[in-house]
Every structure is written in C-alpha cells, then in structure tokens.
Amino acid sequence: MDLILWRHAEAEPGVPDLERALTVKGQKQARRMAEWLGSQLPDNCRILVSPAVRTLQTAEALGRKFKLMPELAPGAEAEDILRAANWPGNKETVLIVGHQPTLGQAAALLLTGEEQDWDMRKASAWWFSQREPGDALSVYLKAVMAHDLVVK
C-alpha cells in the first residue's frame, strides 16, 4: 500500500476555521503540487479529504474525484488518518488531504511507531510505501515533495 499525506495550501486567517479559503498564493501552491501528484499517482488512487474549505480547494486542484471525510477535519488524531486510509491493509494507493498537526503526527507514527509533533510545510506531500503489503513495520518514506520544488 502507498499512503500520501498532503497538507492543504496557504489559507486565509479567520473563523470559523472550517470556512477558511485558500489565498491566491495558496491556490498557486495547490496547483503546483497537484501538477506533480497528478503525474505520479495511479489512476485508481483513492483521495480522501477533510471537509474544511481549504482542503477541498487544495484537492480540487488535482481535477480528480475525491471523498469528503468528516473524521479528517481539524483536530483529528493521527490514528483517524490511518483508519480512514485502512492502513496498512488497503491494497490501493490512498491520498489524504488534511491538516497540521495531525499529518505530521501520522507521519511520525508511520516511521517511528510513536506520535510526535513533526512539522509538515503547507502544500507539501509525504509519500509512504510498504516493502511487504499489509506489513505496517515495512513502511518507508518514498518521497517528500514541496510545492516550490515542482519544476515547470
């Protein structure tokens, strides 16, 4: 199984939190990262998105179908991310579009077995893979990509 964690792009400040939209800069960040992801993701990739406006707008940049999942909203736990993705038992690639600190905590959990507060930059994607299907202990970090590294 491959699991990609994609943090939403830059959003406007304000409240309510779920209604914060991407800035113009954030829209550009999302498009650049979507360009890279779109060239890498398999056609059957399952895309799961937090219901926040900023994650919805980030995911829309991909131009693919996705599913909104309330359990991925701000304040979710790292375990919620893994459960939504059906980690490690899923056979397909899953892309999660979500928030900090949850995505960083999920990344730490995947690689170290412990929740830690790892920082994940806005609009960046961390791609995890397993050497042995279904074996959570065989996970490795396949790629980390930032929107500003995408070559046009």
Side-chain angles (χ1 to χ4, degrees):
M1 170 181 189
D2 282 3
L3 174 61
I4 301 103
L5 305 177
W6 185 13
R7 184 178 177 194
H8 66 79
E10 181 183 272
E12 299 285 350
V15 289
D17 185 51
L18 288 177
E19 294 180 21
R20 293 172 46 219
L22 294 182
T23 63
V24 171
K25 179 180 176 182
Q27 292 169 12
K28 181 179 177 183
Q29 292 170 343
R31 282 192 305 271
R32 291 187 80 182
M33 183 54 69
E35 188 176 308
W36 181 77
L37 283 168
S39 72
Q40 303 297 316
L41 294 173
D43 291 338
N44 67 343
C45 179
R46 189 159 185 235
I47 303 168
L48 308 175
V49 181
S50 158
V53 170
R54 60 194 180 276
T55 50
L56 172 71
Q57 290 175 324
T58 298
E60 285 174 340
L62 264 177
R64 294 188 185 199
K65 291 183 181 179
F66 57 84
K67 180 178 181 182
L68 289 179
M69 299 196 66
E71 55 266 48
L72 301 178
E77 302 289 328
E79 287 290 341
D80 296 329
I81 300 281
L82 302 183
R83 193 173 17 265
N86 192 24
W87 178 270
N90 208 331
K91 294 195 181 344
E92 61 190 350
T93 298
V94 176
L95 170 64
I96 304 270
V97 185
H99 309 273
Q100 271 296 91
T102 310
L103 292 179
Q105 292 166 348
L109 187 58
L110 287 166
L111 289 179
T112 70
E114 297 178 19
E115 267 190 44
Q116 299 174 40
D117 288 327
W118 287 5
D119 188 42
M120 182 179 281
R121 288 182 60 201
K122 289 181 179 142
S124 67
W126 293 30
W127 191 313
F128 298 88
S129 194
Q130 297 170 318
R131 287 183 185 86
E132 298 295 325
D135 180 3
L137 298 177
S138 70
V139 67
Y140 65 96
L141 186 58
K142 186 173 183 177
V144 174
M145 185 56 123
H147 68 89
D148 54 349
L149 294 177
V150 175
V151 179
K152 283 203 162 206

